[in-house]
Amino acid sequence: MLAGCTPSSPAIDLPPVGAAPDYQLGGAYDPDPRVEIIARDRTEHPAEGAYSICCLNGFQTQPGERDLWSDDQVLRDPDTGDDVIDPDWPDEVLLDTRTDAGREAIADRVGEWIRGCADAGFDAVEFDNLDSYTRSNGLLTFDDNLGLARMLVDAAHAVGLAAAQKNAAEDAARLHADAGFDFAVVEECAAYDECGSYTDVYGDRVIDIEYTDELPRPFTDVCADESVPASVVLRDRGLVTPDAAEYVFELCP
């Protein structure tokens, strides 16, 4: 039986081990012919002929989508009543995962997007900002987000999608064991020397994206490092499309 399956659930395909990835969250484009794994935003179509990962924000609001959420579904500062905002992404508000009812309401909405990913033909889904609790000023806990993660993984598996842990190196073991994530999509594990935190849990099922502006050594050295996953790509921070001057895309030889 394939990973993540039960007798009544659809079969789940996992990404090909060691395959070349591309991370196209800034806009879809025709991939390099060597690429076999492509991640795109949920508003895009999956890539033909490649293992396709659907990216969505499961723990914070998407940019420009605060109005989709009621005030009791987003995290509010108890002193000011203001939304709690991600300091690095001021157009994203943290979702309130503290109660069963709150988690269920979030899972209902995100579940619609998950089903949309499956209907569009994606193979897997990744949920961004698993670690939003670390930016909540102490209002959220890891267990709060773990409870929601379980619901989202179950929703993905129910429609035949594999579920990827996104970042959160320090929580990888529990997220895999307790939430049921099937593989990991990670950013800058080589730059922060934390690839082993993922590979110890997911083995070869780790996809790493490194960025040019924070890479502390030449990309060729990253490629030669046995601790770095075989599925690794170097991208520009903005993840722009090839027609932009800032575009960078590089694979290991």
Side-chain angles (χ1 to χ4, degrees):
M1 185 178 296
L2 293 174
C5 294
T6 66
S8 59
S9 67
I12 292 170
D13 292 325
L14 296 179
V17 170
D22 195 3
Y23 210 51
Q24 298 186 0
L25 301 195
Y29 53 86
D30 291 337
D32 182 287
R34 295 170 292 173
V35 167
E36 298 179 63
I37 301 171
I38 298 177
R40 288 177 175 171
D41 187 80
R42 67 176 174 86
T43 59
E44 301 281 4
H45 294 291
E48 292 186 12
Y51 187 91
S52 292
I53 302 170
C54 185
C55 303
L56 55 88
N57 208 337
F59 296 80
Q60 299 181 181
T61 64
Q62 294 280 120
E65 293 187 353
R66 168 61 176 89
D67 290 346
L68 294 180
W69 301 89
S70 63
D71 287 348
D72 61 354
Q73 291 176 316
V74 302
L75 192 64
R76 313 275 280 186
D77 185 305
D79 296 324
T80 66
D82 295 333
D83 294 346
V84 177
I85 296 171
D86 185 330
D88 294 325
W89 298 92
D91 52 356
E92 294 187 15
V93 177
L94 276 62
L95 299 177
D96 190 346
T97 62
R98 290 177 293 183
T99 66
D100 287 341
R103 291 188 287 268
E104 289 170 2
I106 296 166
D108 284 346
R109 178 169 295 284
V110 178
E112 297 175 8
W113 300 338
I114 294 170
R115 290 188 292 274
C117 293
D119 292 343
F122 284 93
D123 300 291
V125 61
E126 68 168 80
F127 306 106
D128 208 358
N129 291 302
L130 277 165
D131 62 349
S132 67
Y133 74 95
T134 65
R135 299 180 292 280
S136 70
N137 301 321
L139 296 174
L140 303 178
T141 68
F142 168 75
D143 285 333
D144 293 333
N145 280 13
L146 177 63
L148 175 58
R150 288 193 192 101
M151 296 179 182
L152 300 183
V153 171
D154 287 347
H157 288 170
V159 292
L161 296 178
Q165 174 185 328
K166 174 71 175 290
N167 295 330
E170 66 279 8
D171 300 324
R174 285 197 65 192
L175 287 166
H176 176 54
D178 296 343
F181 284 106
D182 304 296
F183 66 104
V185 174
V186 307
E187 294 173 295
E188 301 181 283
C189 76
Y192 291 104
D193 194 24
E194 59 186 16
C195 296
S197 297
Y198 300 106
T199 56
D200 286 350
V201 173
Y202 294 102
D204 294 331
R205 307 284 185 183
V206 179
I207 299 162
D208 177 37
I209 303 94
E210 299 291 329
Y211 294 110
T212 53
D213 60 333
E214 292 289 342
L215 200 65
R217 50 185 164 150
F219 188 58
T220 52
D221 290 356
V222 171
C223 293
D225 188 337
E226 294 183 354
S227 71
V228 175
S231 291
V232 58
V233 61
L234 180 66
R235 286 299 324 264
D236 56 278
R237 178 69 62 177
L239 298 171
V240 297
T241 55
D243 56 343
E246 316 92 275
Y247 172 78
V248 175
F249 167 86
E250 188 175 344
L251 297 174
C252 293

